[in-house]
Amino acid sequence: MRWGTGVCIAMLMAGLAGAAEVEFVVGGLTKSEGGDWNPAESALRAPFGVAFDSNQFMWIVELDGGRVFRRSASGELQHVGGDGARSYRGDGGPLWKATFDGMHNCAVLANDDLLIADSWNHCVRRVSANTGITSTIAGTGQRGFSGDGGAATQATFDYVMCITLDPAGETLHLADLNNRRIRALNMKTGIVTTVAGNGQRGVPRDGDLAVDAPLVDPRAAAADATGQLYILERGGHALRCVGIDGRIRTVAGTGQQGFIDGPALNARFGSPKHLCLDGQGTVFIADDQNGAIRCYSEKSGQVSTVLGRGHGDPRIQLKNPHGVTWHRQWLYVVDMGNNRILRMQVP
């Protein structure tokens, strides 16, 4: 299989006495942070999401760059798909011939197939680990809202912003932004359903059935091991949770933009963009406009900041952090505005 041209990127350390352990996977400290990293010279162009396969390859998708990269554990970065064109081509052929439009993030199945949220093509693409062939598994490429209860390949969506597999790898949750819904794709049957949102714009009322409740603008959703589904709303500046009873409630954020840590329902966010879970009841949030990575603990009911705005390594100044991924006890952060990727161990 042809995977494209290799580019080697060095891993740099950003440790300080008393600071959190932070490593740069792609990039380094910028000049304003005391280093010499120039974001304009990065091999990446507006990266958003990362995911890992069983061989510890990191898959990277670019929002604006329109390309897919694969990074080995030894640090070799390869451009393996997408040519930067904003188009929808390549199904039935190899990844390196496929094109995309506004990819937001990605996920990897247990068999190492890669799934890509091809957002502005209103679909989810799949790349076979065995053959490298690209296909569409959800959406038609046309925007709309249809298909619940039927095959996802015949359904329509309107801006598939982010996709996330549940811990069992059996359900793919899709943030169907402009339809103001979270939809679920059963990976065994290929059937799609709506699990939150009624299509109307508004703040959901605590205790209402999630499928009957409005949403402001759902950007990402992720399920925990108990079956709870967390939903992040950018314009709503809040984190919601759908319980196993199907009822929704707000668990963090006042709905007003700002930057406040502390009791979760008093906390404020600044247009949060993405989230991930660590498997222990902690939700990590890429708080875009605040230039920070926040976390919500279900156990403590608190929101805190782990990186950015003087937290973690105090030198690091995040610019539009968009992607967060938890993998093998490390939190990976895609710092989109600086065209770099970091990882950290959270105390």
Side-chain angles (χ1 to χ4, degrees), residues 11 53 66 129 208:
M11 180 176 287
D53 65 22
D208 281 358

Side-chain angles (χ1 to χ4, degrees), residues 250-321:
T250 298
V251 295
T254 64
Q256 299 298 311
Q257 184 168 357
F259 180 76
I260 298 175
D261 282 339
L265 292 176
N266 294 329
R268 291 195 178 187
F269 299 96
S271 301
K273 200 72 178 286
H274 194 225
L275 82 170
C276 69
L277 286 72
D278 70 354
Q280 303 298 320
T282 301
V283 182
F284 293 98
I285 297 168
D287 198 6
D288 180 27
Q289 293 301 298
N290 280 326
I293 305 302
R294 318 284 293 281
C295 73
Y296 161 73
S297 169
E298 181 183 26
K299 294 178 182 178
S300 69
Q302 299 284 311
V303 168
S304 58
T305 301
V306 297
L307 187 65
R309 299 179 71 105
H311 297 266
D313 186 321
R315 296 175 300 180
I316 293 174
Q317 302 164 22
L318 301 175
K319 183 179 180 182
N320 302 120

Side-chain angles (χ1 to χ4, degrees), residues 121-124 136-158 160 174 176 179 183 185 190-193:
N121 281 325
H122 316 292
C123 66
V124 178
T136 297
I137 64 166
T140 64
Q142 300 298 313
R143 67 195 309 169
F145 175 70
S146 66
D148 271 4
T153 52
Q154 302 301 313
T156 54
F157 303 82
D158 194 345
V160 180
L174 300 80
D176 193 2
N179 285 321
R183 303 178 70 187
L185 169 58
I191 302 298
V192 67
T193 57

Side-chain angles (χ1 to χ4, degrees), residues 48 63 104 161-162 219-220 232-234 270-275 285-289 321-323 336:
F48 191 113
L63 176 63
H104 271 75
M161 296 300 287
C162 290
R219 295 299 176 119
L232 188 67
E233 300 211 88
R234 187 180 191 189
S271 301
K273 200 72 178 286
H274 194 225
L275 82 170
I285 297 168
D287 198 6
D288 180 27
Q289 293 301 298
H322 278 185
M336 192 189 81

Side-chain angles (χ1 to χ4, degrees), residues 22-143:
V22 180
E23 296 179 2
F24 286 93
V25 180
V26 175
L29 294 170
T30 64
K31 292 181 180 179
S32 64
E33 297 167 334
D36 58 4
W37 173 249
N38 183 351
E41 296 177 355
S42 175
L44 302 177
R45 201 162 60 246
F48 191 113
V50 302
F52 293 84
D53 65 22
S54 64
N55 295 311
Q56 301 313 304
F57 282 106
M58 174 193 284
W59 293 90
I60 307 165
V61 297
E62 296 179 321
L63 176 63
D64 294 335
R67 300 171 299 171
V68 180
F69 285 82
R70 188 180 70 169
R71 182 189 182 277
S72 70
S74 63
E76 182 183 12
L77 190 67
Q78 294 179 303
H79 172 202
V80 295
D83 61 6
R86 294 185 57 177
S87 60
Y88 180 38
R89 302 192 306 269
D91 275 6
L95 173 60
W96 59 271
K97 284 190 174 181
T99 59
F100 306 89
D101 190 1
M103 293 177 286
H104 271 75
N105 78 320
C106 55
V108 176
L109 293 170
N111 68 354
D112 283 341
D113 284 4
L114 175 69
L115 306 180
I116 299 172
D118 195 0
S119 303
W120 299 330
N121 281 325
H122 316 292
C123 66
V124 178
R125 315 283 286 277
R126 182 174 188 161
V127 182
S128 168
N130 290 329
T131 66
I133 299 300
T134 304
S135 60
T136 297
I137 64 166
T140 64
Q142 300 298 313
R143 67 195 309 169

